[in-house]
């Protein structure tokens, strides 16, 4: 497992089941148990989100404490984010689709951090202006999923530098360089922004407690590469008098992120972007989608496809709201009743339908995007 690297700034090595078992052990996260699934399902009114049912969101920390608070009528809030590294492709929507489901189910406040500072400091030759422009576009993309305008708060780091920095110094004061080196793989030749930046990403995990003066739990949905931040935060926050944040953690979805497929932002022309027109979506799907199908029709009819690694299937499942339909397609595809061409067509149609809907909403959101701006005075009811 020594070849496996997993930090927010570098992911490499093979991400198979053994790798995840290793990460669970090493990071000290818990698998989401059957009991917890059932509790979540109950709150959701019966049906679990497909990302939970299929094990995409597979691990957690202290999720039970969030559910305890919810059951007792105590407030909690959600926090997630995005590093605005460029135009968003559909794989980038995964955590946000899931976060929206959580917000709908629990009806709670959500903070969404856009770490333009991180993207300026780390692995980037973009100017600050460029990073901020990308962040503004990404904000609209994320909001076009339809988050609750009254309870969704956008934190762009540069715009909120004063508030964030104020609390980041509390985190920094209680975090050593050796911790940052060990957890993030920072080395002496790195710029010092890398050493301080984690404090900025930890702030939203307690900012509502800091602002209101009440101790309010925070649940953070994230992909497992972001775990280093929140591992550190769980050591630091109790020292500041706050709860350790809870987490609900997803795998890196290779077939949507392009890790073992051909579709990614780094391969020119392959990823499906949110502003792609219908024909481009279809063309990219046919040309680049990594297929879990067999080489010939006869073989596929006989042995079936492997939907789990199939880009078309995973993209379809991500945009289809009806879990029963997803299960049906999964079975048809796996059993050989459905062929790869048909899978790709169905997937492209679903993607186009949802992208069109998002573009309509984006126009509305664009007009009053300021409504979503993070403002400490909005949390007096908490
Ligand atoms: N660092 C994250 C990224 O590069 C962005 C981020 C900020 C984030 N806060 C978060 C992600 C909280 C998940 C949860 O994508």
């Amino acid at each position: 497992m020594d070849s496996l690297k997993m930090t927010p700034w570098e992911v490499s090595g093979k991400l198979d089941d053994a790798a995840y078992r290793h990460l669970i052990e090493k990071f000290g996260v818990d698998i989401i148990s059957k009991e917890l699934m059932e509790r979540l399902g109950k709150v959701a009114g019966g049906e679990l989100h497909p990302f939970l049912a299929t094990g995409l969101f597979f691990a957690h920390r202290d999720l039970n404490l969030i559910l305890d608070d919810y059951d007792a009528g105590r407030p909690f809030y959600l926090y997630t984010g995005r590093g605005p590294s460029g135009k968003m492709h559909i794989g980038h929507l995964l955590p946000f689709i899931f976060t929206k489901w959580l917000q709908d189910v629990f009806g709670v406040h959500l903070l969404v951090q856009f770490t333009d500072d991180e993207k300026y400091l780390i692995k980037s030759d973009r100017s600050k202006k460029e990073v901020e422009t990308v962040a503004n576009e990404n904000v609209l993309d994320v909001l076009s999923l339809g988050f609750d305008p009254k309870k969704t708060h956008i934190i762009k780091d540069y715009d909120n530098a004063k508030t964030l920095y104020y609390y980041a110094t509390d985190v920094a004061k209680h975090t050593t360089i050796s911790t940052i080196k060990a957890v993030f793989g920072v080395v002496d030749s790195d710029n010092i922004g890398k050493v301080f930046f984690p404090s900025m990403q930890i702030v939203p995990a307690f900012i509502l407690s800091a602002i209101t003066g009440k101790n309010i739990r925070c649940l953070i949905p994230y992909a497992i590469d972001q775990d280093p931040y929140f591992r550190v935060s769980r050591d630091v926050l109790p020292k500041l008098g706050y709860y350790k944040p809870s987490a609900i953690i997803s795998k890196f979805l290779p077939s949507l992120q392009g890790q073992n497929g051909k579709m990614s932002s780094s391969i020119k022309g392959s990823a499906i972007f949110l502003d792609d027109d219908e024909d481009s979506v279809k063309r990219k799907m046919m040309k680049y989608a990594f297929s879990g199908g067999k080489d010939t029709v006869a073989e596929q009819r006989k042995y079936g496809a492997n939907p789990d690694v199939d880009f078309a299937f995973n993209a379809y499942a991500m945009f289809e709201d009806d879990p029963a339909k997803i299960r049906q397609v999964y079975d048809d595809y796996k059993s050989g009743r459905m062929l790869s061409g048909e899978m790709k067509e169905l997937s492209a149609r679903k993607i186009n339908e949802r992208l069109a809907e998002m573009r309509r909403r984006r126009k509305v959101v664009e007009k009053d995007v300021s409504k979503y701006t993070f403002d400490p005075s909005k949390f007096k009811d908490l």
Side-chain angles (χ1 to χ4, degrees), residues 79-83 113 115 118-119 201 220-222 226 230:
Y79 158 43
T80 193
R82 163 163 172 84
Q113 181 179 39
T115 52
E118 177 186 24
K119 290 300 153 186
Q201 183 158 329
I220 316 175
Y222 58 83
Q226 297 295 306
F230 303 117

